[in-house]
Amino acid sequence: MPELPEVETIRLQLNKVLKGLIIKHIEVRFDKSFQGDKKEVIGKKILGLSRYGKLLVVNFANKQNLAIHLKMSGRLVYLSNKSRLVGGHPQQKNEWEIDYPTHKHTHVVFTFSDNSKLYFWDLRKFGWIKVVDNSKLKAQMSKLGIEPFTDNFTLFNFRKVLKMSKKPVKLVLMDQQKISGVGNIYANDGLFCAGIHPSRKADKVNTKESVRLFNCLIKVLKNGIRYGGASSQNFRDTQGQKGRLQEHFLVYDRQGWLCPNNCGNKIAKIQLGGRGTYFCTNCQK
DNA sequence: TGATATGTTATCTT
DNA sequence: CAAGATAACATATC
């Protein structure tokens, strides 16, 4: 569930603390979580962090990168050389008290030149970290669709993407090869904001509606970043803390709640492309 | 116990 | 052949 705003939250936080550091050591506890030759990045200086859709990238001075995809449950928790997030008992029931250094779902541990550490924690083990050089990274990125908050994300391009597909508009929003960074949360809330039914065929969304949807997507994504991401389930920031967008969802995860427009209707839930889809039958046509 | 949640990709099916 | 639908991956929670 880390989507664009959640990954951006992590990028902003890590960019501050990792820039200029050197990786001293990488401990891989679960092989599938780390792919490639770790020697390529050990001893190399970190220039900064970038993000492409939901992909987080650590850039190194030697034209190598760590590409990181958190998939559904990945976390990156950073502990400085002094602080420990918690002491004591590992695997406490209270999730605030996860002891990341020893926890069973911590799969990769980075140690930096100043002895601070970054823990890759991933309950479902779908996430990964890959060593890729600049050209390979560029090839990966070229597969991604138009990226919100870049020059590419224009109304013209957005309309073109919608016009090209007969699939339900929600699936198009979530297709990373068409629009990068939007997942289930922001697709649901964006469509509600625009008053568009998630099942509508993308190419049948008219000009006026697509303008609304374009602006709404930007709005809900910005809101996500403002609240530090959505932690309805597994997302945590680099301090192990929850985001707060879940307190402000419009329709996502709100089955049976009253419509936020106060129309008196209750939020419905259906399956679309195998994913939970939430909307107001009254306000979204 | 079994259904559910999730992002992406691989593998059917139409 | 292309587009659409579904299974697979893993695990905790309800």
Side-chain angles (χ1 to χ4, degrees), chain A residues 110-273:
Chain A
F110 296 90
T111 305
F112 300 98
S113 40
D114 63 353
N115 287 325
S116 60
K117 287 177 189 273
L118 182 68
Y119 299 94
F120 177 65
W121 182 98
D122 188 14
L123 189 154
R124 299 244 177 14
K125 293 177 174 169
F126 292 177
W128 42 253
I129 301 174
K130 286 179 190 169
V131 181
V132 287
D133 61 24
N134 282 356
S135 67
K136 204 171 171 191
L137 181 65
K138 210 174 164 189
Q140 280 245 312
M141 279 160 41
S142 68
K143 291 181 198 156
L144 290 175
I146 55 174
E147 168 90 43
F149 307 118
T150 70
D151 294 345
N152 232 354
F153 200 72
T154 60
L155 185 55
F156 180 82
N157 287 340
F158 184 67
R159 273 199 59 70
K160 197 161 74 181
V161 165
L162 293 186
K163 275 268 164 277
M164 276 186 339
S165 177
K166 295 186 196 322
K167 282 199 278 192
V169 58
K170 182 177 177 240
L171 299 190
V172 175
L173 298 184
M174 292 175 63
D175 184 339
Q176 301 303 298
Q177 310 205 50
K178 296 191 165 70
I179 298 166
S180 60
V182 178
N184 206 21
I185 295 172
Y186 299 94
N188 275 297
D189 276 9
L191 285 164
F192 174 82
C193 164
I196 299 170
H197 195 293
S199 304
R200 284 269 299 283
K201 305 292 175 217
D203 60 344
K204 298 284 190 252
V205 173
N206 67 35
T207 308
K208 200 176 161 190
E209 290 168 327
S210 53
V211 173
R212 280 210 306 268
L213 185 53
F214 179 83
N215 291 323
C216 279
L217 266 186
I218 296 286
K219 187 173 155 186
V220 296
L221 290 170
K222 271 191 180 162
N223 215 32
I225 297 171
R226 184 158 74 87
Y227 283 112
S231 298
S232 59
Q233 294 176 25
N234 272 305
F235 174 71
R236 296 295 180 276
D237 69 12
T238 65
Q239 305 297 309
Q241 306 285 314
K242 288 188 179 192
R244 298 184 323 284
L245 184 73
Q246 66 281 5
E247 298 158 21
H248 305 274
F249 284 154
L250 298 172
V251 292
Y252 176 79
D253 204 22
R254 292 293 189 254
Q255 182 180 19
W257 290 40
L258 283 173
C259 167
N261 286 346
N262 291 317
C263 75
N265 209 13
K266 283 183 179 168
I267 298 305
K269 183 183 182 188
I270 58 169
Q271 290 290 117
L272 202 57

Side-chain angles (χ1 to χ4, degrees), chain A residues 64-121:
Chain A
Q64 293 285 347
N65 309 272
L66 287 176
I68 303 174
H69 202 303
L70 301 172
K71 289 291 180 90
M72 317 190 336
S73 60
R75 299 178 185 175
L76 288 166
V77 173
Y78 180 76
L79 298 184
S80 77
N81 44 5
K82 318 189 176 76
S83 70
R84 289 192 77 185
L85 200 53
V86 288
H89 312 278
Q91 295 174 39
Q92 291 244 1
K93 282 204 176 136
N94 183 348
E95 54 189 329
W96 289 124
E97 297 173 36
I98 282 183
D99 187 49
Y100 284 96
T102 60
H103 196 268
K104 64 174 171 177
H105 297 318
T106 297
H107 304 311
V108 183
V109 181
F110 296 90
T111 305
F112 300 98
S113 40
D114 63 353
N115 287 325
S116 60
K117 287 177 189 273
L118 182 68
Y119 299 94
F120 177 65
W121 182 98

